[in-house]
Amino acid sequence: MTPPTETESLRFAERLPGWQRWSGSLIFAILAVIIAVVAVIESLWGFYLVAVALIFAVVWCWRLALITVAVDDGAVILTGPAWKRVVPQQDVHDVSVAPDNGMNLGLVNWPVTTHEHGSLTRLNMGGSAAVTFSDSNGHRY
C-alpha cells in the first residue's frame, strides 16, 4: 500500500466488536419478539412502539453504530451516531497516541460521550488504543 499524497484524504472507520454486535442484536431481537407477543395477546398498543424501538436498536447495532475519523486537506472530521465535528487542521494541537493493551475498558461502550464538564469528547467502540488531540479552544478529542 502506498502512503497517501497530500491531496488525498485519510479515513478510518470503527464498528462495534463482533461479539458486541451479535450479543446486543440478539438481546434486542429477543426482547422485541417477547414484547410484540405481549402486545398482541394483551392488545397493548404502547408495547408495539417499544418493540419497534428495539428493532431499531438491532439495526443500530449492525449498521449505525459507527465512528469515523477523516482527514482531508483542511480539516479533521469526526463523526459518530447523531454527532459530527469538523476541526480545522491548523487548530489541531497536542496530538498523542496510546497503543492498545488488549484490555477492554468496559462491556458497554457508548460511541460518543462527553466528560469533564464538556471539555472532553470521547469516541470509542471498545479497547484502549487512542489518538488524542486538542483544538485551539482547549477542547480535547
Side-chain angles (χ1 to χ4, degrees), residues 32-104:
V33 168
I34 291 170
I35 290 173
V37 168
V38 170
V40 168
I41 292 171
E42 299 292 330
S43 294
L44 299 171
W45 286 98
F47 277 41
Y48 286 116
L49 297 175
V50 174
V52 168
L54 288 169
I55 291 168
F56 177 76
V58 170
V59 172
W60 182 83
C61 278
W62 278 99
R63 302 296 301 155
L64 303 176
L66 172 73
I67 57 175
T68 61
V69 177
V71 180
D72 63 16
D73 288 336
V76 176
I77 302 146
L78 308 167
T79 59
W83 186 88
K84 180 178 182 179
R85 293 293 182 273
V86 177
V87 181
Q89 280 188 1
Q90 67 268 18
D91 291 348
V92 174
H93 305 286
D94 303 323
V95 178
S96 65
V97 177
D100 194 354
N101 63 7
M103 301 299 291
N104 190 357

